[in-house]
Amino acid sequence: MDKTAAVRRGRPRNFDRDEALQRAMQVFWSHGYEGTSMTQLIEAMGIASPSIYAAFGSKEQLFREAVDLYVTSEAEPSWGALDRIGDVRQALRTMLFASIDLFVATDAPRGCLVILGATHLGTSNMTVRTILRNQRGRFRDRLMKRLTRAIEDGDISGDTDLTALADAILAFFSGLAIEAVDGATKAKLRAAADLFCQRLLG
């Protein structure tokens, strides 16, 4: 059977792939990869499982695309502050504040899909763990690049251990996501982020 024809038959009329992916992202964001069932995806996306597999290949591939969409549509406005704002202290503060706004914007989903999208201990799905680990690695690379620029601009002392500094920022960022899921308010998280930036960078 012609594969292209099979894919066409697997999709319902007026199938909107982008809209379906957006809905899938929300489900994964709310429940994580392992906590999301195909039944939930079918209900949220409004299409049958054969159509999901025809359009995305597998649940893992759907998750991969959902993570990519999350990064470009949800996380990028926050992380973009690192590139837009010249002063590194203000750039970091703005990034964290914008991330907090995202983490607590709705009752569900809360937190960060990239940080909390999979169980880090005991999960059998190494592919999903790798997808998220690689994306966190890209966050780290972007942060290291910004901190290196801050040293070049004289905003940070040249003898600063950038690896340790990046570790501290990313650990705090991850903690914000967890606190948001646990119900912390925006005001509480912003106060913590403000103090963190003051103490970390002076």
Side-chain angles (χ1 to χ4, degrees), residues 82-125:
L82 297 180
D83 302 321
R84 294 192 307 269
I85 299 175
D87 179 76
V88 68
R89 294 163 181 79
Q90 187 59 36
L92 177 60
R93 183 177 183 275
T94 300
M95 184 274 281
L96 292 175
F97 271 38
S99 296
I100 290 167
D101 291 348
L102 174 64
F103 295 165
V104 303
T106 57
D107 289 335
R110 289 174 70 99
C112 175
L113 176 58
V114 174
I115 301 298
L116 303 171
T119 304
H120 297 295
L121 298 177
T123 180
S124 60
N125 196 308

Side-chain angles (χ1 to χ4, degrees), residues 47-99:
I47 54 178
S49 56
S51 300
I52 294 175
Y53 288 117
F56 298 98
S58 66
K59 181 184 175 184
E60 289 178 358
Q61 183 58 33
L62 174 60
F63 182 75
R64 185 189 303 274
E65 292 196 37
V67 170
D68 289 343
L69 177 61
Y70 172 86
V71 171
T72 57
S73 66
E74 305 295 335
E76 178 54 34
S78 304
W79 281 79
L82 297 180
D83 302 321
R84 294 192 307 269
I85 299 175
D87 179 76
V88 68
R89 294 163 181 79
Q90 187 59 36
L92 177 60
R93 183 177 183 275
T94 300
M95 184 274 281
L96 292 175
F97 271 38
S99 296

